[in-house]
Amino acid sequence: MEFVVEPWHWFVLGIVLILSELIIPAFAALWFGIAAIMVCILLWLFPMMGFPTQVITWGILSILCTLLWFKFIKPLSTDKTKAGLSREATIGQVGMVIQTGLEHEQILVRFSLPVLGSDEWHCRCVTPVQVGDRVRVIDILGNDLVVQPHCTS
């Protein structure tokens, strides 16, 4: 008696692999499970696929899913904030002055990416600036950032 692989076998394998990701934090099982469900769909569409073709297709799709994740999806999930990073990571960040004339000769600067966990900072500037000027962080002084006008040249 010959064992015939049905589409539901691949579906169950896919679900088991995806759920095993809860127990084994390797993250590869997720993509192997997705590939198994894709083979299930292909076998349903093309029932004449032989078992060796199914296994080779599953291997290729597993590799492709994993590579696509590393190439396109994982870069989207990287944390672009500078929260928790050192002083050196903060120095050089460029922001825009959104308010001047605050207490203690401070200005309010908004950064496009959060700096040390916040996108707006009270700053001290070494030279007078206007609202809309771009400034660059040159130092950290207590709870304030020290900035200077940013030259684009």
Tab-separated table of all heavy atoms in Angstrom, residues 13 16 19 22 29 38 45 49 56-57 61 74 77-79 81 85-86 103 112 121 124 127 130-132 153:
chain	number	residue	atom	x	y	z
A	13	LEU	N	0.879	20.142	8.640
A	13	LEU	CA	2.301	20.366	8.897
A	13	LEU	C	2.584	21.862	9.052
A	13	LEU	O	3.312	22.286	9.957
A	13	LEU	CB	3.158	19.791	7.773
A	13	LEU	CG	4.667	20.078	7.874
A	13	LEU	CD1	5.257	19.398	9.102
A	13	LEU	CD2	5.384	19.653	6.611
A	16	VAL	N	1.263	23.069	12.428
A	16	VAL	CA	2.113	22.568	13.510
A	16	VAL	C	3.420	23.361	13.566
A	16	VAL	O	3.879	23.755	14.637
A	16	VAL	CB	2.387	21.051	13.342
A	16	VAL	CG1	3.510	20.578	14.251
A	16	VAL	CG2	1.125	20.257	13.597
A	19	LEU	N	2.684	26.913	14.894
A	19	LEU	CA	2.419	26.882	16.329
A	19	LEU	C	3.659	26.497	17.141
A	19	LEU	O	3.797	26.910	18.285
A	19	LEU	CB	1.264	25.930	16.642
A	19	LEU	CG	-0.112	26.404	16.156
A	19	LEU	CD1	-1.176	25.355	16.470
A	19	LEU	CD2	-0.471	27.745	16.777
A	22	LEU	N	5.752	29.098	18.949
A	22	LEU	CA	5.457	29.537	20.310
A	22	LEU	C	6.367	28.865	21.331
A	22	LEU	O	6.654	29.436	22.380
A	22	LEU	CB	3.996	29.237	20.661
A	22	LEU	CG	2.944	29.955	19.812
A	22	LEU	CD1	1.562	29.403	20.126
A	22	LEU	CD2	3.008	31.440	20.048
A	29	ALA	N	10.818	28.283	11.925
A	29	ALA	CA	9.665	27.388	11.827
A	29	ALA	C	8.456	28.106	11.251
A	29	ALA	O	7.648	27.511	10.541
A	29	ALA	CB	9.335	26.797	13.192
A	38	MET	N	1.715	26.903	1.606
A	38	MET	CA	1.786	27.236	0.174
A	38	MET	C	1.833	25.957	-0.674
A	38	MET	O	1.205	25.880	-1.739
A	38	MET	CB	2.995	28.124	-0.106
A	38	MET	CG	2.868	29.518	0.510
A	38	MET	SD	4.395	30.457	0.495
A	38	MET	CE	4.433	31.015	-1.189
A	45	LEU	N	-4.203	22.826	-6.186
A	45	LEU	CA	-4.366	23.302	-7.572
A	45	LEU	C	-3.824	22.321	-8.592
A	45	LEU	O	-4.369	22.201	-9.696
A	45	LEU	CB	-3.659	24.660	-7.740
A	45	LEU	CG	-4.260	25.839	-6.982
A	45	LEU	CD1	-3.356	27.056	-7.093
A	45	LEU	CD2	-5.650	26.148	-7.511
A	49	MET	N	1.101	16.537	-8.635
A	49	MET	CA	2.463	16.714	-8.113
A	49	MET	C	2.890	15.478	-7.327
A	49	MET	O	2.184	15.017	-6.441
A	49	MET	CB	2.534	17.929	-7.171
A	49	MET	CG	2.579	19.257	-7.844
A	49	MET	SD	2.558	20.653	-6.683
A	49	MET	CE	4.062	20.434	-5.809
A	56	ILE	N	10.676	19.174	-2.617
A	56	ILE	CA	11.603	20.161	-3.211
A	56	ILE	C	10.950	21.537	-3.242
A	56	ILE	O	11.580	22.547	-2.904
A	56	ILE	CB	12.048	19.700	-4.615
A	56	ILE	CG1	12.950	18.468	-4.485
A	56	ILE	CG2	12.755	20.826	-5.351
A	56	ILE	CD1	13.267	17.786	-5.804
A	57	THR	N	9.674	21.597	-3.607
A	57	THR	CA	8.950	22.869	-3.631
A	57	THR	C	8.882	23.460	-2.233
A	57	THR	O	9.083	24.666	-2.045
A	57	THR	CB	7.527	22.669	-4.195
A	57	THR	OG1	7.621	22.080	-5.492
A	57	THR	CG2	6.778	23.979	-4.277
A	61	LEU	N	10.449	27.038	-1.273
A	61	LEU	CA	9.579	28.073	-0.709
A	61	LEU	C	9.999	28.461	0.711
A	61	LEU	O	9.903	29.636	1.083
A	61	LEU	CB	8.121	27.606	-0.722
A	61	LEU	CG	7.462	27.532	-2.099
A	61	LEU	CD1	6.080	26.894	-2.001
A	61	LEU	CD2	7.378	28.909	-2.723
A	74	LYS	N	12.157	42.299	7.938
A	74	LYS	CA	12.945	42.574	9.142
A	74	LYS	C	13.465	44.008	9.186
A	74	LYS	O	13.426	44.636	10.247
A	74	LYS	CB	14.091	41.582	9.273
A	74	LYS	CG	14.835	41.743	10.585
A	74	LYS	CD	15.924	40.735	10.747
A	74	LYS	CE	16.623	40.960	12.077
A	74	LYS	NZ	17.793	40.140	12.194
A	77	SER	N	11.195	46.447	10.872
A	77	SER	CA	10.948	46.326	12.301
A	77	SER	C	12.107	46.812	13.160
A	77	SER	O	12.031	46.731	14.376
A	77	SER	CB	10.641	44.872	12.662
A	77	SER	OG	11.790	44.064	12.463
A	78	THR	N	13.154	47.332	12.556
A	78	THR	CA	14.259	47.823	13.362
A	78	THR	C	13.869	49.106	14.065
A	78	THR	O	13.152	49.937	13.515
A	78	THR	CB	15.519	48.068	12.506
A	78	THR	OG1	15.202	48.986	11.461
A	78	THR	CG2	16.034	46.774	11.913
A	79	ASP	N	14.345	49.263	15.263
A	79	ASP	CA	14.040	50.441	16.070
A	79	ASP	C	14.951	51.576	15.643
A	79	ASP	O	16.157	51.525	15.842
A	79	ASP	CB	14.244	50.109	17.553
A	79	ASP	CG	13.857	51.258	18.457
A	79	ASP	OD1	13.187	52.191	17.977
A	79	ASP	OD2	14.211	51.208	19.644
A	81	THR	N	14.723	54.653	16.754
A	81	THR	CA	14.881	55.669	17.792
A	81	THR	C	16.267	55.537	18.393
A	81	THR	O	16.921	54.506	18.275
A	81	THR	CB	13.831	55.510	18.905
A	81	THR	OG1	14.105	54.307	19.616
A	81	THR	CG2	12.433	55.509	18.350
A	85	LEU	N	20.512	54.779	23.860
A	85	LEU	CA	21.847	54.779	23.303
A	85	LEU	C	22.695	55.838	23.987
A	85	LEU	O	22.218	56.737	24.656
A	85	LEU	CB	21.797	55.029	21.792
A	85	LEU	CG	21.136	53.921	20.992
A	85	LEU	CD1	21.164	54.244	19.519
A	85	LEU	CD2	21.812	52.588	21.233
A	86	SER	N	23.947	55.751	23.761
A	86	SER	CA	24.897	56.604	24.457
A	86	SER	C	24.893	58.039	23.947
A	86	SER	O	24.267	58.385	22.951
A	86	SER	CB	26.292	56.015	24.291
A	86	SER	OG	26.647	56.069	22.927
A	103	GLU	N	12.028	80.020	28.738
A	103	GLU	CA	12.758	80.358	29.961
A	103	GLU	C	14.227	79.957	29.847
A	103	GLU	O	14.559	78.968	29.180
A	103	GLU	CB	12.139	79.624	31.153
A	103	GLU	CG	10.748	80.085	31.512
A	103	GLU	CD	10.201	79.326	32.716
A	103	GLU	OE1	10.943	78.541	33.332
A	103	GLU	OE2	9.021	79.521	33.033
A	112	SER	N	13.351	64.614	13.632
A	112	SER	CA	12.544	63.731	12.784
A	112	SER	C	12.495	62.317	13.351
A	112	SER	O	11.486	61.634	13.243
A	112	SER	CB	13.077	63.713	11.354
A	112	SER	OG	14.430	63.314	11.348
A	121	TRP	N	12.773	68.474	22.217
A	121	TRP	CA	13.693	68.726	23.324
A	121	TRP	C	13.846	70.215	23.571
A	121	TRP	O	13.890	71.011	22.634
A	121	TRP	CB	15.070	68.155	22.995
A	121	TRP	CG	15.183	66.702	23.283
A	121	TRP	CD1	14.861	65.677	22.442
A	121	TRP	CD2	15.653	66.100	24.478
A	121	TRP	NE1	15.098	64.481	23.043
A	121	TRP	CE2	15.589	64.709	24.301
A	121	TRP	CE3	16.115	66.597	25.686
A	121	TRP	CZ2	15.979	63.819	25.287
A	121	TRP	CZ3	16.506	65.708	26.666
A	121	TRP	CH2	16.441	64.337	26.461
A	124	ARG	N	19.649	74.371	24.423
A	124	ARG	CA	20.391	75.619	24.565
A	124	ARG	C	21.202	75.767	23.284
A	124	ARG	O	21.825	74.810	22.836
A	124	ARG	CB	21.317	75.570	25.771
A	124	ARG	CG	20.573	75.385	27.071
A	124	ARG	CD	21.542	75.352	28.245
A	124	ARG	NE	20.839	75.060	29.480
A	124	ARG	CZ	20.245	75.971	30.235
A	124	ARG	NH1	20.253	77.223	29.870
A	124	ARG	NH2	19.632	75.615	31.350
A	127	THR	N	24.416	80.110	19.489
A	127	THR	CA	24.198	81.360	18.748
A	127	THR	C	22.701	81.560	18.570
A	127	THR	O	21.936	80.591	18.595
A	127	THR	CB	24.870	81.321	17.358
A	127	THR	OG1	24.329	80.224	16.626
A	127	THR	CG2	26.371	81.159	17.475
A	130	GLN	N	16.372	81.271	14.676
A	130	GLN	CA	14.973	81.610	14.430
A	130	GLN	C	14.157	80.325	14.288
A	130	GLN	O	14.711	79.259	13.998
A	130	GLN	CB	14.849	82.430	13.132
A	130	GLN	CG	15.664	83.703	13.121
A	130	GLN	CD	15.170	84.701	14.153
A	130	GLN	OE1	13.963	84.818	14.369
A	130	GLN	NE2	16.087	85.394	14.817
A	131	VAL	N	12.841	80.443	14.446
A	131	VAL	CA	11.949	79.305	14.215
A	131	VAL	C	12.124	78.858	12.768
A	131	VAL	O	12.146	79.671	11.850
A	131	VAL	CB	10.485	79.695	14.504
A	131	VAL	CG1	9.543	78.572	14.083
A	131	VAL	CG2	10.310	80.020	15.978
A	132	GLY	N	12.274	77.572	12.565
A	132	GLY	CA	12.458	77.003	11.230
A	132	GLY	C	13.912	76.699	10.898
A	132	GLY	O	14.186	75.985	9.935
A	153	SER	N	26.454	72.742	3.926
A	153	SER	CA	27.551	72.683	2.957
A	153	SER	C	28.723	71.894	3.471
A	153	SER	O	28.879	71.537	4.560
A	153	SER	CB	28.018	74.091	2.596
A	153	SER	OG	28.349	74.816	3.763
